[in-house]
Amino acid sequence: MLHISDNLKFLRSKRNLSQQAASEGMKFGLDQYKKYEYGKNTPPAESLLVISRFYHISIDLLLTVDLRKVSIDDLVKLEDNRIVLPITVDDNGDNMIEVVTHKAKAGYAAGGYADFSFISELDHIYLPWLNKNEKHRVFPVDGDSMPPHNNKSSIIGRYVEKLGDVLDGRTYIIITKNNEMVYKRLNNNGKNMFVLNSDNSLYNSYEIKFSDIAEIWEYAGSLEREHFKPETYDMNNLAMVIKKIERDMGEIKAKIA
């Protein structure tokens, strides 16, 4: 469900603007604007960009969040005062760190990241060593693709505002528009896509388009619930070594050929 028509009415009323004043401010014709506000037409991309800049709110929130039910003061404000990310704050207005559990993971990946009600119901913690001027959130890890982290690990992520700030070779939590949450090591392939690599060589790399990413969080630390065991050369480790050798040999043969 899109909330653009209700949000247009709400934002206009907050500024005490008439429909005429709002349409003139955004350089829309009055009839054109009324069709957007009455829900007869959905604004195209160019018009959404104008509305977003006029009210200093992200297009994503204009479309997907009922702003009548959200305290705009409890959202992260980015450059040009654009609003993009729901957060929770304490009684003093200090930013809290929301904890996404395994139980809440599916709901978060399915779009809860843009739902203030969902975010406000998550558990939260304080970590004094993190930069208070940055936004952090905690995410659960699945599987063994990123050792030594496993199902009992949680990654502390720092919110990345721009995909251009992603650095090759570092690890990130990615939430996709296809309801997927993954923790991987990233590299930019120069084709508007990231290559997602696992530190466990048994897992193959794969690519994801920039346009498929809903949120991205850079590794800022981890919370562990079990002791890490010393490295041993058991059969699993041996299989990993053999597979890596085979892959390296294949790459060498390909280059020679």
Side-chain angles (χ1 to χ4, degrees):
M1 175 181 177
L2 297 180
H3 296 278
I4 182 65
S5 62
D6 288 333
N7 285 339
L8 282 173
K9 296 172 192 173
F10 172 72
L11 292 168
R12 178 173 61 80
S13 67
K14 281 196 62 143
R15 286 200 184 183
N16 295 317
L17 298 174
S18 65
Q19 289 182 325
Q20 180 73 45
S23 64
E24 289 177 355
M26 289 180 268
K27 295 182 171 56
F28 294 150
L30 181 57
D31 289 341
Q32 175 190 9
Y33 174 81
K34 285 182 176 179
K35 288 179 181 178
Y36 296 158
E37 190 171 292
Y38 293 149
K40 293 182 179 179
N41 288 342
T42 299
E46 295 83 359
S47 297
L48 285 170
L49 185 59
V50 172
I51 297 168
S52 172
R53 289 175 175 170
F54 184 76
Y55 287 118
H56 305 296
I57 294 181
S58 73
I59 292 174
D60 181 59
L61 287 188
L62 285 170
L63 290 173
T64 64
V65 175
D66 188 344
L67 296 175
R68 298 170 298 177
K69 301 177 181 178
V70 175
S71 171
I72 294 181
D73 291 334
D74 291 344
L75 301 175
V76 167
K77 296 183 179 180
L78 304 180
E79 293 179 1
D80 193 31
N81 292 318
R82 291 178 298 109
I83 298 173
V84 68
L85 183 70
I87 65 170
T88 51
V89 295
D90 63 13
D91 293 338
N92 296 319
D94 292 328
N95 183 4
M96 297 187 293
I97 301 172
E98 300 87 6
V99 180
V100 182
T101 63
H102 280 282
K103 186 176 180 179
K105 179 177 180 179
Y108 187 96
Y113 52 81
D115 184 340
F116 182 78
S117 297
F118 179 91
I119 296 300
S120 65
E121 292 172 0
L122 295 174
D123 292 329
H124 58 271
I125 59 175
Y126 289 99
L127 295 172
W129 62 85
L130 297 176
N131 187 338
K132 292 183 178 181
N133 295 321
E134 298 174 334
K135 177 58 192 170
H136 296 85
R137 195 162 281 167
V138 178
F139 300 92
V141 173
D142 272 337
D144 60 351
S145 66
M146 295 296 289
H149 308 296
N150 55 40
N151 288 344
K152 292 186 178 181
S153 302
S154 294
I155 300 300
I156 304 165
R158 179 186 62 80
Y159 185 63
V160 178
E161 298 176 13
K162 303 174 184 175
L163 294 181
D165 292 337
V166 171
L167 299 176
D168 282 355
R170 292 193 180 180
T171 58
Y172 297 83
I173 291 282
I174 291 180
I175 292 89
T176 73
K177 296 176 182 177
N178 296 323
N179 304 346
E180 184 181 15
M181 181 188 296
V182 295
Y183 174 52
K184 297 294 181 182
R185 195 172 298 279
L186 301 189
N187 285 284
N188 190 336
N189 70 355
K191 301 177 182 177
N192 292 323
M193 290 189 288
F194 287 124
V195 179
L196 279 62
N197 302 299
S198 298
D199 287 351
N200 183 339
S201 60
L202 290 176
Y203 292 85
N204 293 326
S205 301
Y206 61 98
E207 295 178 333
I208 184 171
K209 296 178 181 177
F210 291 174
S211 59
D212 290 334
I213 297 174
E215 287 185 1
I216 189 163
W217 301 76
E218 183 179 2
Y219 175 89
S222 65
L223 303 174
E224 310 295 340
R225 292 187 293 128
E226 72 173 7
H227 294 287
F228 291 135
K229 297 177 181 178
E231 188 76 16
T232 58
Y233 291 98
D234 56 20
M235 292 304 295
N236 289 332
N237 283 327
L238 183 59
M240 289 173 57
V241 172
I242 293 173
K243 183 169 183 177
K244 187 175 187 307
I245 292 174
E246 290 176 343
R247 186 175 63 191
D248 291 344
M249 290 297 295
E251 292 176 355
I252 293 172
K253 290 179 180 178
K255 290 179 180 179
I256 294 175

